[in-house]
Every structure is written in C-alpha cells, then in structure tokens.
Amino acid sequence: MNAQQLVDERGDLWLALAPLWLDREPSERDFAAMVEEIQRHDMTLKELEWMFRLELAPVMSRHQLSIASEWREYDDYKLMKQLVSHNLRLTGWRRKSWALFSGLTTMMVRHRWHELMQRVLVARGERPF
C-alpha cells in the first residue's frame, strides 16, 4: 500500500480518533465525530482495536508523552505525515513489536477508547459490554 492509499483509506478515521490523545478529555462533540467517522468505515470492533493499537498509538503516544510540545491541539498535515510514515513501515518485526508493546502505548487513553467503543456499539444498535 502506498502513502496516498493510506491517506484515502484511513486518513479521516485517524484524524477523527486523534483527540483521544489530547491533554483534555474528549467532548461530546469529539465523541460524536469519532463515532460518525467509525460508522463510515466497515470495521469490526476487533479491527478497530488493532488499528488503535498498531496504526495510531505508536505515533500518538509519542506526542502525548513529549515534554516539549503542548498537546492541546495538533497540526493535521504534520500528524498525517507521521501516521503515514509509521504505517508504511508497519510490517514484519515492527508490527509484532508494536503488538507486543501496545499495552504501554494505549494505557493512558484506554478509558477513552473504552468509552468510544461503548458509543459505537450503541450507534450500531448493539448492547454495550
């Protein structure tokens, strides 16, 4: 897959989910936008989980833990470049390594992710867990 395909297939979803890593709790509007974008993609909860762990968390957690940057907002263009670069290299041992360490890169936003998945289930007409 090339960079343009990644942007076309995942870009809007990645940017919609980025507020999970901001310094503030996502607002109702943030959650609504995330659910709406997730609904546009035909992904199972398991597929969403792995996208969260492997495609987003390794890049986003670096921003979250950075002392130098203020992480109250982000530059979409710069963030997209970082996400595409990471995902183009996400094969073989890198994929396995990130899967192994994904608990560490997601732990600070896991409660937000859980809340989002509850909302996705409700939007899909399924019973939340």
Side-chain angles (χ1 to χ4, degrees), residues 15-20 22 24-38 72 74 116 119:
L15 291 178
L17 297 177
L20 291 171
L22 292 176
R24 60 172 175 74
E25 288 297 317
S27 67
E28 287 298 318
R29 187 176 7 189
D30 291 330
F31 276 122
M34 289 181 227
V35 169
E36 185 178 322
E37 190 59 43
I38 287 170
R72 296 193 183 280
Y74 48 85
L116 176 60
R119 292 170 186 245

Side-chain angles (χ1 to χ4, degrees), residues 9-117:
E9 290 179 18
R10 293 279 213 247
D12 291 337
L13 184 56
W14 288 340
L15 291 178
L17 297 177
L20 291 171
W21 280 269
L22 292 176
D23 281 346
R24 60 172 175 74
E25 288 297 317
S27 67
E28 287 298 318
R29 187 176 7 189
D30 291 330
F31 276 122
M34 289 181 227
V35 169
E36 185 178 322
E37 190 59 43
I38 287 170
Q39 294 295 77
R40 283 194 256 269
H41 292 77
D42 189 25
M43 296 176 76
T44 66
L45 292 184
K46 189 173 185 175
E47 290 169 330
L48 286 166
E49 175 72 25
W50 283 108
M51 185 217 39
F52 168 68
R53 288 174 159 216
L54 300 178
E55 297 176 18
L56 282 168
V59 174
M60 303 305 289
S61 62
R62 286 184 217 139
H63 285 282
Q64 191 177 36
L65 297 174
S66 172
I67 295 171
S69 71
E70 182 176 330
W71 193 232
R72 296 193 183 280
E73 56 185 56
Y74 48 85
D75 176 314
D76 287 355
Y77 180 75
K78 182 179 174 184
L79 183 58
M80 187 61 66
K81 280 178 52 176
Q82 292 169 339
L83 287 163
V84 167
S85 176
H86 165 75
N87 280 279
L88 286 173
R89 293 187 317 266
L90 192 58
T91 59
W93 68 269
R94 280 192 173 106
R95 185 174 204 78
K96 290 176 185 170
S97 295
W98 283 119
L100 180 64
F101 292 107
S102 65
L104 294 173
T105 59
T106 61
M107 72 181 179
M108 292 180 71
V109 296
R110 179 55 65 181
H111 66 285
R112 295 173 181 174
W113 180 254
H114 183 70
E115 173 67 23
L116 176 60
M117 291 301 99

